[in-house]
Amino acid sequence: QVQLVESGGGLVQPGGSLRLSCAASGRAVSSVAMGWFRQAPGKEREFVAGLSMSGSNTDAADSVKGRFTISRDSGTNAVYMQMNSLIPEDTAVYYCAARPSVYSGGVYRDASAYNYWGQGTQVTVSS
């Protein structure tokens, strides 16, 4: 069992930055593949960024490539997403998710691949 708690969301102006955190308990982040997803009002949940269990592979949606970076810290047992150059279209509730994985190099874009989810944190980009 893995418990995930997101934090770091808030209101930011266009062009600004935020760093989201996903604190994990019950299992080491180095033993699971992780993903960040988001859901805007009236839209389906979408993949944002992912990190393999090995920590060596990452993936990001085209809409955030070059602006968002996913990382993890085994010391704090947390996963982070640095979000730069934010635009209004980034406004959504952001969720982190975990998948105990046999294949250490896998990064998963499909939400159904993940077993555990956090409660979400709101990010609003507006002037």
Side-chain angles (χ1 to χ4, degrees), residues 55-111:
S56 59
N57 296 330
T58 62
D59 188 18
D62 288 346
S63 59
V64 306
K65 276 182 180 176
R67 300 189 298 122
F68 291 11
T69 303
I70 186 172
S71 63
R72 76 182 185 197
D73 185 335
S74 295
T76 58
N77 207 39
V79 174
Y80 303 94
M81 185 160 69
Q82 178 67 40
M83 306 189 298
N84 299 327
S85 302
L86 285 159
I87 59 177
E89 290 76 15
D90 294 321
T91 296
V93 177
Y94 284 72
Y95 301 88
C96 67
R99 170 192 168 99
S101 184
V102 175
Y103 174 46
S104 64
V107 184
Y108 305 92
R109 290 189 167 216
D110 189 346

Side-chain angles (χ1 to χ4, degrees), residues 38-41 46 88-94 121-125:
R38 67 186 181 186
Q39 187 165 19
E46 65 174 356
E89 290 76 15
D90 294 321
T91 296
V93 177
Y94 284 72
T121 185
Q122 176 71 46
V123 171
T124 302
V125 184

Side-chain angles (χ1 to χ4, degrees), residues 1-75:
Q1 196 78 348
V2 181
Q3 293 78 42
L4 303 171
V5 179
E6 301 96 334
S7 61
L11 174 64
V12 63
Q13 291 187 341
S17 297
L18 281 175
R19 187 195 193 206
L20 302 185
S21 300
C22 174
S25 60
R27 193 153 177 168
V29 291
S30 57
S31 68
V32 294
M34 296 294 297
W36 283 99
F37 291 77
R38 67 186 181 186
Q39 187 165 19
K43 294 188 176 182
E44 293 188 354
R45 189 170 298 191
E46 65 174 356
F47 170 80
V48 179
L51 180 68
S52 65
M53 184 174 71
S54 67
S56 59
N57 296 330
T58 62
D59 188 18
D62 288 346
S63 59
V64 306
K65 276 182 180 176
R67 300 189 298 122
F68 291 11
T69 303
I70 186 172
S71 63
R72 76 182 185 197
D73 185 335
S74 295

